[in-house]
Amino acid sequence: MSFSDLGLSPKVLSAVNDAGYTQPTPIQAGAIPHALQGKDVLGIAQTGTGKTAAFVLPMITRLEKGRARARMPRTLILEPTRELAAQVEENFTRYGKNHKLNIALLIGGVSFDDQERKLERGADVLIATPGRLLDHFERGKLLLTGVEILVIDEADRMLDMGFIPDIERICKLIPFTRQTLFFSATMPPEITKLTEQFLHAPVRIEVAKASSTASTVTQRLVKSGSKPWEKRAVLRQLIREEGESLKNAIIFCNRKVEVSELFRSLVKHDFNAGALHGDMDQRARMTMLSNFRDGKLKLLVASDVAARGLDIPDVSHVFNYDVPIHSEDYVHRIGRTGRAGRSGKSFTIVTRSDTKYLDAIEKLIGQKIEWHDGDLSTLAPSEDEEADRPHRGRGSSRRGSHKDETGKGRKARAEHKAAEAGEAESAAPASERSDRQERKDAIRTGNAARKADEADNAKHSKPRRTGRSTQSDDDGDKVTVGFGDDVPAFMKIPAKV
Ligand code: AMP
């Protein structure tokens, strides 16, 4: 089947041709003819399947007749994130190059004024995130009674982000006679309910099971201790191992704070990395994304919300720094690589506390994922477990940050560093040694590890200027200890006991 069989207008076909696409993807072949006939469509498709063009192309064809009026957009596309909205706008620009379409983008994080001016001019296409759309509506700058076509994209993501009440409200503001094109990668019960409420006799097109991962992606699990510094070391090791084959990669974290921490750590270790999370302002997000797309950034550390659905073609690797808590996120994350028939690789870093989530993922995708280098049973006991054992003798077994670790905790960290520095032999099992010997060893391995860190630091990072006494932190960076060399004089006066 070719694009010319679908009923698109000659102007749209010419733009598609110029974009270099010769054959419609299954979601395009399935949805476009029905959308052109004005039918409601329920498309169950993930990003990467060409679903954006599946609604953009018929919309442009249908918009050829008629004109927009001030403050009364003719079509409305709802997107869960600003990046997705901006991406859809790019699609309209690309495929609508032979049309004079007025496109308005209503997204948060940018000023209302420009957006209002565009609405005032009359929008053929209004692309919006639900919150900003309702803000404009409440300010009286927008009437939705002229909307002929409504698109709800990434509906399951909207659900995850708590947008369903907003969507319901928006749907009720648009005439009943509109056409609705509805897309979701998965169909949880809340989404099914929404489609029953707002779609009229939709044509259902399902292109791939939402729970399936592309066969072009080689998936691997990688064991790690649960401490952030252990996970970061595992990640760095993996990136280095992949060498030249790693063209570019997205590294997913579960939380924004981890995105920031990991990003800073990678940069300190001289990796060419950027970050993408929901708290960054719009301009920073767009710059980061376009730098990654253009190949100026090799690694992009991202949260699910920020990265969902982004059109970043040709990503060679996906790293899950954290196992996703929602198993469906795994499918979405992995879907960032191995696109359009290319091969891709994914590595998921797994700690002992992740097994529950891993089981859910393997159940969802219906397959066991191979371990890269032995499973969790081959992982050396971590300091947590050491601490959890009934303690013999002195010291407390409390968990916590390494600042208040026990001698054993410190030793485990020192051993880890020594192992990283290629000195694993000197870090023999704790149980074989007396406490005194352990303490001596901890100091020795700690010193060795610190020296190695400093050497690594000199190699990888820019030197930091500090007049205070320092030691290395988890990532081999200098941190000031206490007051360093700047201890105030009054603190040096001997205390009376
Ligand atoms: P989407 O699923 O809409 O995010 O699209 C994923 C990628 O597929 C985008 O980079 C599109 O430009 C590309 N694409 C869309 N339609 C086609 C097509 N018919 N043939 C090849 N690539 C396409």
Side-chain angles (χ1 to χ4, degrees):
M1 184 182 278
S2 84
F3 275 105
S4 54
D5 301 325
L6 302 178
L8 295 164
S9 78
K11 283 203 267 185
V12 171
L13 283 176
S14 152
V16 170
N17 194 37
D18 291 350
Y21 301 141
T22 48
Q23 274 206 323
T25 63
I27 186 77
Q28 292 163 358
I32 291 173
H34 297 291
L36 285 171
Q37 287 167 20
K39 290 187 188 155
D40 280 6
V41 170
L42 169 57
I44 304 167
Q46 311 178 32
T47 53
T49 55
K51 74 175 165 58
T52 316
F55 60 82
V56 172
L57 301 180
M59 283 175 81
I60 302 177
T61 300
R62 295 198 69 202
L63 283 166
E64 285 178 8
K65 288 197 198 102
R67 286 199 64 218
R69 285 186 284 160
R71 283 186 287 148
M72 290 183 70
R74 298 175 64 198
T75 61
L76 170 64
I77 298 146
L78 294 174
E79 292 289 338
T81 65
R82 300 177 256 182
E83 281 79 12
L84 275 171
Q87 220 163 269
V88 171
E89 185 192 28
E90 278 169 27
N91 271 256
F92 270 100
T93 312
R94 188 189 314 158
Y95 302 124
K97 60 187 258 198
N98 302 318
H99 299 72
K100 283 203 181 75
L101 294 172
N102 282 341
I103 304 168
L105 187 63
L106 304 190
I107 53 178
V110 286
S111 101
F112 277 85
D113 297 347
D114 289 350
Q115 298 180 352
E116 277 171 15
R117 267 194 294 279
K118 286 204 169 158
L119 286 175
E120 199 57 51
R121 231 177 21 181
D124 296 296
V125 181
L126 182 59
I127 307 159
T129 48
R132 185 49 77 101
L133 181 88
L134 287 171
D135 284 347
H136 278 281
F137 183 79
E138 277 154 15
R139 288 163 162 234
K141 302 291 176 190
L142 179 65
L143 279 172
L144 293 173
T145 45
V147 172
E148 300 154 33
I149 305 173
L150 167 68
V151 177
I152 299 171
D153 193 20
E154 302 261 338
D156 52 351
R157 199 55 180 168
M158 304 262 201
L159 173 72
D160 289 349
M161 294 171 76
F163 286 156
I164 297 303
D166 286 349
I167 302 288
E168 286 175 336
R169 201 176 145 206
I170 294 166
C171 283
K172 287 176 187 159
L173 297 170
I174 303 177
F176 189 69
T177 50
R178 63 163 192 263
Q179 174 185 17
T180 309
L181 309 174
F182 190 103
F183 293 87
S184 191
T186 56
M187 288 299 286
E190 297 90 333
I191 297 297
T192 305
K193 210 173 125 217
L194 201 65
T195 59
E196 285 164 0
Q197 202 180 347
F198 294 110
L199 298 188
H200 307 293
V203 180
R204 185 183 165 111
I205 297 137
E206 191 165 349
V207 293
K209 279 228 307 285
S211 57
S212 61
T213 46
S215 56
T216 48
V217 183
T218 308
Q219 304 169 54
R220 291 289 180 269
L221 303 174
V222 188
K223 63 179 182 287
S224 168
S226 57
K227 297 283 181 203
W229 55 267
E230 291 175 300
K231 292 174 74 174
R232 289 198 289 262
V234 168
L235 177 69
R236 291 197 297 271
Q237 173 71 18
L238 279 172
I239 296 172
R240 286 179 180 140
E241 266 176 23
E242 287 301 289
E244 292 286 298
S245 73
L246 193 152
K247 198 171 144 280
N248 56 357
I250 306 183
I251 304 165
F252 284 98
C253 301
N254 286 354
R255 296 180 308 141
K256 282 181 270 198
V257 56
E258 277 156 359
V259 171
S260 305
E261 277 172 19
L262 181 60
F263 159 65
R264 279 199 296 271
S265 162
L266 286 169
V267 170
K268 274 183 229 154
H269 281 265
D270 223 15
F271 288 99
N272 178 10
L276 200 66
H277 62 71
D279 277 355
M280 288 162 64
D281 72 45
Q282 181 64 8
R283 185 176 296 193
R285 278 154 53 133
M286 288 313 209
T287 309
M288 205 59 96
L289 199 56
S290 72
N291 284 344
F292 186 64
R293 271 207 200 104
D294 298 346
K296 289 181 201 150
L297 281 177
K298 193 167 177 179
L299 306 174
L300 185 68
V301 189
S303 64
D304 289 288
V305 168
R308 174 70 80 101
L310 293 181
D311 179 19
I312 308 165
D314 202 13
V315 173
S316 73
H317 285 65
V318 166
F319 294 96
N320 289 318
Y321 176 75
D322 297 307
V323 177
I325 290 166
H326 303 292
S327 47
E328 282 162 7
D329 281 337
Y330 180 82
V331 179
H332 288 289
R333 290 179 181 186
I334 300 305
R336 312 310 315 172
T337 184
R339 302 182 114 200
R342 295 190 187 94
S343 63
K345 232 170 170 183
S346 81
F347 289 99
T348 301
I349 298 176
V350 186
T351 69
R352 288 207 167 91
S353 54
D354 294 325
T355 47
K356 181 173 82 179
Y357 304 123
L358 179 61
D359 290 347
I361 289 166
E362 291 185 329
K363 197 166 158 223
L364 177 76
I365 64 173
Q367 69 182 82
K368 285 266 171 212
I369 310 169
E370 240 180 78
W371 288 90
H372 174 61
D373 200 10
D375 64 19
L376 284 168
S377 65
T378 63
L379 185 71
S382 75
E383 66 189 89
D384 282 4
E385 288 160 330
E386 286 287 321
D388 282 344
R389 282 184 200 164
H391 54 273
R392 302 148 296 173
R394 300 176 324 274
S396 93
S397 64
R398 91 196 125 114
R399 284 162 183 260
S401 77
H402 55 263
K403 288 196 183 72
D404 55 19
E405 280 169 350
T406 59
K408 273 194 190 121
R410 272 195 300 279
K411 178 169 184 296
R413 277 169 43 73
E415 281 175 358
H416 170 85
K417 287 193 171 182
E420 252 200 315
E423 297 191 7
E425 300 92 311
S426 66
S431 54
E432 290 170 17
R433 295 166 184 241
S434 71
D435 279 358
R436 187 174 300 166
Q437 186 61 37
E438 266 181 43
R439 276 205 307 282
K440 273 190 189 162
D441 282 355
I443 293 164
R444 188 165 58 80
T445 46
N447 285 341
R450 199 166 304 140
K451 274 195 196 131
D453 273 346
E454 278 165 10
D456 198 31
N457 229 12
K459 253 199 321 232
H460 293 295
S461 331
K462 293 188 189 76
R464 286 218 285 175
R465 200 163 52 79
T466 165
R468 296 177 172 193
S469 79
T470 57
Q471 68 179 35
S472 299
D473 76 357
D474 305 333
D475 284 321
D477 300 311
K478 304 283 186 201
V479 290
T480 302
V481 181
F483 284 93
D485 297 329
D486 305 330
V487 181
F490 76 88
M491 289 189 79
K492 293 182 182 164
I493 300 168
K496 280 189 193 150
V497 180

